[in-house]
């Protein structure tokens, strides 16, 4: 997918300002920036949830996974029914296959979201998005509402899905360490604009923009032994 | 439902339903019995409510009329609810412009007097029971439509509806599958109240002569017939009126009790277990904060914090880490006397500068904590009143707790804002919280803590909502403030990297207990508890090897009611043995300034 000159305005406020960004086939592009930098609005525009001006080439087949797994599943629907929502003619076998993709047991299909932990719910949300065979998956802060103990498992899953299905992804997070771990490329947003974009290694090791350097310097690090 | 008013409502409603079923078969004949000799009598032993112009017993007629009155009310409610739900959900299904037209029509109708709408409809639809039921139904519809629309709008904005839209689910299916099931409960509860309203409304219509026509009769009709004689024989009118009031009251009380019990989660009842006896041990004279055997219990034997002991020295920052539900926040709140009702703090003592906080009388405790405790929450807006100026809120601390004049307090507030490096403090003090950025608000909250002389600072995830660049500055500020005031700081966070870089010592909690306590610089290489090690390994940092999968901890933490005899972590632990599941390891010394609770600690 190629985003060309995308702009989102809310009244007089410009949330996303003339952004051009390419998400190549089978790559994970990480999007980082401070809150209010426009990264979530960009995600919603790409997913067709907010109106925008500009052009998106190959923009169909986008699915999104949301930040809060407690709000993104209908509490009155079973896990199986939620997962089947993106399928044309859902069969139990399809639901089982989708649950298998996110390493959940098929018995879970008859359960309700309230019986599941946050990490499991987020897997269900991912399975639901995968059901529509998306060409691009937008992940908006999908680990920030999760406990540290399950964050790692969800990040492993994301990387596994990329390797297994060749999924293209726009992975949004304010946590640089998380983005560095999962993304092939990193785009840095500030005040609605992309200020730097390049391969992960290059952006992390030799950042070109002063704001990127500032971000990197501010990442908290565990004291070295 | 267990409240007296809820029980009374349910009893009245049950009585009405029984009356509607058994009334006509039992008293039906008596109610129709014409006795010209006894016509227009007042209260007597034979006719407790008197008789009408044909000598029929009014009490029997009132009891028999329950069936028709309730039936008509139920019908009117059903009509009102059906029209209301359709009008209320149409805006979510129709194209935007048509939807707006529908919702503004509903708004206009809500403003229109209900009884007028009912009378208008009844006149158009024809006199009689059918017209009255239609009229009341139409009059009830706008309010129900508005309620449906408001509830539906909150569901329509949720993430799962956004997800369904992206998956290509049609609008009608979204309403049927996602919206209606999630708003059904409050709507159904509201129906109960609506039945009460339509009962009263129908009685009103019949009383005006627009409702049930002779020879049929409902309560309203009986009231209409009796009203002409109210100055002679008041009981002939008051009898039916009483039934209308009683039934209306019953349905309203029950509806409100149902709605209340649906919004409030029930608290399990049961005696809280006795707090364990405090362990004897010498207090550390150097420590600013010393907590021993702190326990927090909730009714029903739920104990989210178990025998936690902590010591924090002057100028020291101690990190409290653990998964959500580990009891880390509650521990800090218990120290600050902020445990939410109905939690009970047990054990102790909690010594702040050697004074037992929980042993003090309430007024003195409030004074002590008011001046020497500073709280910084994740959301600074939780501590700031959006309607007041920032400076005024800070100044309040000084006027209330330190007896400063308003001018002095304002001066100090401006000074403190400058101290936490807010630029142009005098101008910022005159602004409202929403005019400040997130980082600046958090600084203002810290400045509020600095109005007194803080001895204890509790910071609960203070940087979680902030960006890394702002986070760094807030953490620096916390460090400076702690050192210059020689306060004890408890820093609660789930972010191991933040805790590791800021704190002096780290206390790791799991299922309500401290499982390890160690110097922060030993987190990476010196952690002895398998849980601490797993926590550190599961967080990617800037040097994580991207070719390897991240560590994760299988299973889940047991809830505060599920903690058994053994080590709470045993189920998720790779090193666990029979001994771990049978007996809980005590928290023991493990080298210098290091304590760990694990049988297998290396």
């Amino acid at each position: 997918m190629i985003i060309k000159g995308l702009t989102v305005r809310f009244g007089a406020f410009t949330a996303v300002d003339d952004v051009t960004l390419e998400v190549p086939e089978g790559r994970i592009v990480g999007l980082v920036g401070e809150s209010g930098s426009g990264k979530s609005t960009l995600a919603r525009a790409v997913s067709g949830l907010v109106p925008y001006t500009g052009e998106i080439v190959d923009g169909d087949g986008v699915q999104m996974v949301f930040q809060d797994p407690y709000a993104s599943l209908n509490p009155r629907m079973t896990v199986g029914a939620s997962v089947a929502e993106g399928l044309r003619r859902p069969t139990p076998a399809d639901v089982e296959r989708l649950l298998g993709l996110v390493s959940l047991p098929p018995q879970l299909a008859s359960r309700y979201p309230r019986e599941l932990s946050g990490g499991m719910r987020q897997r269900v949300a991912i399975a639901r998005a995968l059901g529509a065979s998306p060409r691009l998956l937008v992940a908006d802060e999908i680990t920030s509402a999760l406990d540290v103990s399950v964050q790692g498992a969800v990040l492993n899953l994301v990387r596994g899905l990329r390797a297994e299905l060749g999924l293209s992804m726009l992975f949004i997070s304010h946590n640089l360490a998380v983005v560095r771990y999962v993304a092939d490329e990193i785009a840095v947003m500030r005040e609605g604009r992309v200020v730097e974009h390049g391969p992960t290694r290059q952006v992390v090791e030799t950042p070109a923009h002063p704001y990127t350097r500032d971000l990197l310097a501010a990442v908290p690090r565990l004291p070295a032994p | 439902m267990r409240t007296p008013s809820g029980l009374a409502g349910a009893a009245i409603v049950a009585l009405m339903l029984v009356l509607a079923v058994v009334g006509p078969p039992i008293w039906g004949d008596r109610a129709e019995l014409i006795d010209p000799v006894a016509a227009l009598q007042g209260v007597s032993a034979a006719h407790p409510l008197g008789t009408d112009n044909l000598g029929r017993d009014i009490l029997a007629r009132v009891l028999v009329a329950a069936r028709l009155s309730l039936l008509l009310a139920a019908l009117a409610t059903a009509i009102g609810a059906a029209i209301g739900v359709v009008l209320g959900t149409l805006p979510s299904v129709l194209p935007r412009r048509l939807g707006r037209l529908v919702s503004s029509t509903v708004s206009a109708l809500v403003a229109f007097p209900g009884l007028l709408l009912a009378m208008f409809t009844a006149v158009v639809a024809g006199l009689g029971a059918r017209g009255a039921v239609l009229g009341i139904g139409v009059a009830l519809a706008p309010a129900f439509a508005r309620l449906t629309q408001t509830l539906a709008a909150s569901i329509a904005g949720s993430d799962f509806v956004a997800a369904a839209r992206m998956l290509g689910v049609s609008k009608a299916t979204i309403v049927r599958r996602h919206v209606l099931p999630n708003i059904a409960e409050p709507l159904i509860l509201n129906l109960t109240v609506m039945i009460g309203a339509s009962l009263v409304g129908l009685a009103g219509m019949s009383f005006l002569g627009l409702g049930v026509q002779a020879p049929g009769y409902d309560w309203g009709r009986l009231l209409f017939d009796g009203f002409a004689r109210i100055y002679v024989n008041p009981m002939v009118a008051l009898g039916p009126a009483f039934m209308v009031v009683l039934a209306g009251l019953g349905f309203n009380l029950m509806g409100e009790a149902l709605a209340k019990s649906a919004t409030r989660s029930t608290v399990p009842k049961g005696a809280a277990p006795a707090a364990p006896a405090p362990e004897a041990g010498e207090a550390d004279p150097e420590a600013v904060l010393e907590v021993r055997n702190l326990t927090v219990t909730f009714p029903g034997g739920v104990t989210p914090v178990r025998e936690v002991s902590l010591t924090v020295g002057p100028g020291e920052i101690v990190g409290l880490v653990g998964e959500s539900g580990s009891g880390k926040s509650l521990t800090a709140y218990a120290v600050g006397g902020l445990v939410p009702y109905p939690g009970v703090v047990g054990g102790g003592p909690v010594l702040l500068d050697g004074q037992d906080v929980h042993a003090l009388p309430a007024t003195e405790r409030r004074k002590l904590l008011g001046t020497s405790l500073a709280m910084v929450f994740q959301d600074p807006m939780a501590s700031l009143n959006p309607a007041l100026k920032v400076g005024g809120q800070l100044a309040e601390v000084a006027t209330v707790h330190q007896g400063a004049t308003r001018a002095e307090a304002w001066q100090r507030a401006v000074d403190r804002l400058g101290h936490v490096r807010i630029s142009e403090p005098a101008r910022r003090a005159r602004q409202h919280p929403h005019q400040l950025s997130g980082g600046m608000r958090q600084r203002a909250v810290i400045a509020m803590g600095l109005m007194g002389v803080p001895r204890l600072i509790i910071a609960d995830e203070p940087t979680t909502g902030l960006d890394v660049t702002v986070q760094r500055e807030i953490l620096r500020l916390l460090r400076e403030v702690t050192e210059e005031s020689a306060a004890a700081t408890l820093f609660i966070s789930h972010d191991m990297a933040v805790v590791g870089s800021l704190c002096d010592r780290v206390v790791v909690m799991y299922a309500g207990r401290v499982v390890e306590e160690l110097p922060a610089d030993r987190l990476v290489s010196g952690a002895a508890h398998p849980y601490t090690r797993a926590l550190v390994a599961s967080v990617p940092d800037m040097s994580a090897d991207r070719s390897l999968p991240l560590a994760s901890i299988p299973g889940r933490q047991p809830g505060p009611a599920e903690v058994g005899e053994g080590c709470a972590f045993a189920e998720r632990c790779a090193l666990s043995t029979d001994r771990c599941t049978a007996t809980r390891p005590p928290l023991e010394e493990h080298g210098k300034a290091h304590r760990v609770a694990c049988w297998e600690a290396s």
Side-chain angles (χ1 to χ4, degrees):
Chain A
M1 184 172 80
I2 304 167
I3 302 163
K4 281 187 191 162
L6 189 139
T7 299
V8 179
R9 285 200 182 86
F10 298 118
F13 175 67
T14 306
V16 178
D17 189 3
D18 192 22
V19 164
T20 297
L21 184 69
E22 185 184 350
V23 184
E25 278 298 311
R27 304 269 283 177
I28 298 182
V29 174
L31 195 56
V32 296
E34 56 187 7
S35 50
S37 63
K39 53 191 197 304
S40 283
T41 309
L42 178 63
R44 289 191 161 252
V46 166
S47 311
L49 292 175
V50 292
Y52 59 87
T53 56
E55 193 188 351
I56 298 180
V57 184
D58 287 338
D60 46 347
V62 178
Q63 291 301 326
M64 186 162 163
V65 181
F66 296 85
Q67 173 172 6
D68 183 0
Y70 292 86
S72 65
L73 296 177
N74 184 342
R76 309 266 169 179
M77 270 164 79
T78 60
V79 165
S82 280
V83 168
E85 214 167 22
L87 298 166
R88 278 278 154 69
R89 283 184 202 82
T91 64
D94 291 331
V95 172
E96 191 173 319
R97 178 182 61 85
L98 287 171
L99 289 176
L101 275 179
V102 295
S103 317
L104 287 177
Q107 300 88 303
L108 231 54
S110 57
R111 305 275 204 87
Y112 283 89
R114 61 171 178 273
E115 301 170 67
L116 272 54
S117 67
M120 285 161 107
R121 287 171 196 236
Q122 204 56 297
R123 284 165 191 270
V124 172
I126 294 172
R128 176 179 60 189
L130 292 178
S133 314
R135 295 182 56 195
L136 176 78
L137 193 66
V138 176
D140 187 7
E141 300 271 9
I142 57 169
T143 58
S144 61
L146 300 179
D147 256 317
V148 276
S149 61
V150 292
Q151 243 186 50
V154 171
L155 294 178
N156 290 338
L157 173 70
V158 166
R159 289 179 23 139
L161 287 173
R162 204 272 310 259
E164 217 174 299
L165 309 174
L167 209 60
S168 314
M169 243 175 125
L170 189 60
F171 187 94
I172 299 165
S173 177
H174 69 281
N175 187 331
L176 256 168
V178 165
V179 170
R180 171 188 167 275
Y181 183 72
V182 296
D184 305 303
E185 300 171 17
I186 295 182
V188 182
M189 272 189 90
R190 187 186 198 191
E191 289 167 1
R193 294 169 170 274
V194 172
V195 295
E196 181 161 5
H197 180 198
T200 298
R201 219 181 141 153
Q202 184 193 316
V203 172
V204 171
E205 284 171 15
T206 52
H209 196 278
Y211 177 65
T212 315
R213 281 199 286 273
D214 203 18
L215 269 185
L216 282 164
V219 173
R221 286 159 212 260
L222 279 167
Chain B
M1 270 311 279
R2 298 278 169 95
T3 56
S5 62
L7 286 176
I12 295 171
V13 168
L15 178 78
M16 290 297 155
L17 293 179
V18 169
L19 207 56
V21 173
V22 305
I26 296 182
W27 296 290
D29 295 336
R30 194 170 145 80
E32 299 294 336
L33 185 73
I34 297 173
D35 181 5
V37 180
L40 295 172
Q41 278 187 356
V43 177
S44 70
H47 306 287
L49 292 181
T51 59
D52 67 2
N53 50 2
L54 294 176
R56 293 175 293 202
D57 182 57
I58 291 184
L59 176 63
R61 288 175 76 75
V62 166
L63 294 175
V64 172
R67 180 183 280 186
L68 186 65
S69 302
L70 291 178
L71 198 70
L72 294 182
L75 266 175
T77 307
I79 292 171
I83 301 176
V85 166
V86 171
L87 281 182
T89 45
L90 271 180
S92 342
V93 187
L94 292 174
R96 186 170 292 225
R97 281 198 174 180
L98 266 174
R100 247 185 229 160
L101 185 71
V102 171
S103 62
S104 36
T105 310
V106 167
S107 302
L109 286 175
V110 167
F112 200 74
L115 200 59
L116 224 54
L117 196 61
M119 284 164 66
F120 179 72
T121 314
V123 168
V124 170
L127 286 185
R130 205 182 51 174
V133 165
L134 265 176
I136 294 295
V138 167
L140 289 174
F144 205 68
R146 166 49 59 81
L147 178 69
T148 309
Q149 202 182 327
T150 310
L151 291 169
S154 74
I155 298 293
S158 68
D159 284 350
F160 59 80
V161 169
R165 274 167 60 196
M166 272 190 286
L167 291 166
V169 180
S170 72
K171 277 183 170 182
T173 312
I174 286 179
V175 167
R176 182 174 51 77
R177 193 187 281 167
H178 293 290
V179 178
L180 287 179
N182 282 300
I183 64 173
E185 195 178 333
L187 287 185
I188 290 169
L189 292 179
N190 205 262
L191 276 184
T192 322
V193 178
M194 239 170 93
I195 291 181
S198 65
L199 243 165
V200 176
L202 276 167
M205 295 289 278
S206 288
F207 180 72
L208 293 172
L210 291 170
V212 177
Q213 303 294 321
Y217 56 99
D218 67 345
W219 289 330
R221 181 76 209 179
L222 292 176
L223 186 62
F224 175 70
D225 292 339
F227 193 68
R229 297 158 59 201
I230 194 162
Y231 295 112
V232 188
N233 289 314
M235 277 318 284
V236 298
L238 290 184
F242 174 74
M243 290 303 275
V244 172
V245 171
L246 187 69
L249 200 66
F251 279 104
N252 274 311
L253 285 178
M254 192 171 93
E256 279 181 8
L258 281 175
K260 235 181 224 165
S261 66
T263 52
R264 189 194 303 150
S265 55
T266 49
V267 179
K269 282 197 175 148
E279 200 174 87
E282 72 274 32
D284 183 346
E286 291 281 292
V288 175
L289 175 72
E290 182 147 25
V291 178
R292 279 178 190 272
N293 282 313
L294 187 77
T295 298
V296 179
T297 45
F298 280 82
V302 178
T303 313
V305 176
R306 293 160 187 260
E307 294 158 45
V308 169
S309 297
L310 283 173
T311 308
V312 190
E316 191 181 28
I317 302 182
V318 170
L320 269 178
V321 298
E323 289 170 76
S324 49
S326 61
K328 56 186 195 299
S329 290
L330 211 49
T331 300
Y333 289 5
V335 168
L338 297 167
V339 169
Y341 177 83
V344 178
V345 179
V350 174
L351 301 172
L352 187 57
D353 273 339
Q355 262 189 307
D356 188 348
V357 174
H358 293 276
L360 287 175
T363 47
E364 272 180 57
R365 183 173 63 203
R366 216 168 19 240
K367 189 155 185 211
L368 175 70
L369 293 176
T371 49
S372 56
L373 169 68
M375 292 280 316
V376 188
F377 295 100
Q378 176 177 340
D379 177 11
M381 288 309 279
S383 319
L384 296 172
N385 184 337
L388 299 177
K389 284 175 187 156
V390 175
Q393 300 188 51
L394 264 68
E396 196 182 4
V397 179
T399 49
V400 171
H401 292 296
Q402 295 156 342
T405 66
R406 286 183 60 166
E408 283 168 5
W410 184 270
Q411 265 308 310
R412 183 158 174 81
V414 172
D415 174 65
R416 295 289 90 183
L417 286 173
H419 191 76
V420 295
R421 288 199 296 276
I422 287 181
S423 55
E424 303 178 74
R427 186 170 71 87
R428 294 294 182 186
R430 284 191 301 275
Q431 289 187 326
H432 286 91
H434 70 90
Q435 291 167 291
L436 272 54
S437 69
M440 233 186 272
R441 285 181 207 150
Q442 204 59 294
R443 284 168 194 272
V445 172
I446 295 175
M448 195 188 283
L450 294 179
M451 289 299 289
V453 183
R455 299 303 299 141
L456 173 65
I457 301 171
I458 295 177
D460 189 0
E461 308 260 7
T463 60
T464 299
L466 303 176
D467 310 303
V468 277
T469 45
V470 184
Q471 167 171 286
R472 178 178 51 183
E473 289 161 22
I474 296 290
L475 295 181
R476 262 189 208 150
L477 181 62
L478 261 179
R479 170 52 81 186
E480 282 174 24
V481 164
T482 306
E483 278 174 3
E484 70 177 24
S485 61
T489 294
L490 273 179
F491 184 86
I492 304 157
S493 180
H494 69 278
D495 190 329
M496 298 300 277
V498 168
V499 168
S501 60
L502 172 75
C503 301
D504 300 300
R505 271 186 305 129
V506 179
V507 171
V508 185
M509 288 188 69
Y510 187 78
R513 286 183 195 278
V514 174
V515 293
E516 183 160 17
E517 187 182 332
L518 74 170
D521 54 10
R522 286 178 53 82
L523 258 182
V524 175
S525 59
H529 200 287
Y531 178 62
T532 314
R533 282 193 250 152
L535 271 186
V536 173
S538 65
V539 185
D541 67 359
M542 293 306 283
S543 55
D545 188 340
R546 299 180 60 217
S547 60
L548 296 175
L550 288 168
S552 66
I553 312 175
R556 66 179 188 91
Q557 177 177 243
E562 307 164 344
V563 178
E565 287 293 299
C567 170
F569 187 61
E571 217 176 283
R572 302 170 78 183
C573 182
L575 306 175
S576 89
T577 62
D578 290 346
R579 189 188 187 191
C580 300
T581 44
T583 28
R584 181 166 48 81
L587 190 62
E588 284 178 332
E589 297 290 325
H590 186 87
K592 191 170 177 282
H594 193 165
R595 293 191 300 162
V596 64
C598 178
W599 295 123
E600 303 296 319
S602 49

